[in-house]
């Protein structure tokens, strides 16, 4: 039997918290949650408000998520995984 699977979801950064370590993001349904990068991973650049990211949520906790991809401002995407 497998462990719980993660739920990928896109979100929009609203503001940086804790010196750029955590972020307040808005999900497509309008709910705001806290998002963070995986342990030991830091973004290559400062993430501004309005930037799109892809998160992983667990089925057990929808109040926080892990940032796995930062979408660039253009058409291509930049992976942070």
């Amino acid at each position: 039997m497998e462990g719980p699977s993660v739920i990928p979801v896109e979100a929009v950064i609203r503001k940086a918290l804790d010196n750029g370590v955590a972020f307040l993001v808005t999900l497509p349904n309008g709910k705001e949650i806290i998002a963070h990068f995986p342990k030991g991973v830091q973004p290559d650049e400062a993430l501004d408000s309005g930037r799109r990211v892809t998160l992983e949520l667990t089925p057990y906790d929808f109040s926080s998520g892990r940032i796995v991809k930062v979408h660039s401002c253009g058409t291509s995407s930049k992976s942070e995984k």
Side-chain angles (χ1 to χ4, degrees):
M1 186 168 153
E2 290 184 5
S5 60
V6 295
I7 302 165
V9 63
E10 287 196 13
V12 177
I13 293 177
R14 290 297 162 218
K15 69 177 179 177
L17 308 171
D18 297 331
N19 202 17
V21 175
F23 302 88
L24 182 65
V25 299
T26 303
L27 301 178
N29 65 359
K31 182 176 178 179
E32 291 186 333
I33 65 169
I34 304 296
H36 59 87
F37 283 94
K39 185 176 181 180
V41 176
Q42 293 295 324
D44 294 335
E45 57 190 77
L47 299 180
D48 298 325
S49 177
R51 194 81 179 259
R52 288 187 320 116
V53 293
T54 300
L55 308 176
E56 287 182 346
L57 303 175
T58 68
Y60 301 115
D61 182 12
F62 292 116
S63 65
S64 66
R66 181 183 308 120
I67 299 172
V68 293
K69 185 182 283 187
V70 177
H71 299 276
S72 66
C73 297
T75 56
S76 64
S77 63
K78 179 179 179 184
S79 177
E80 293 291 332
K81 197 170 187 179

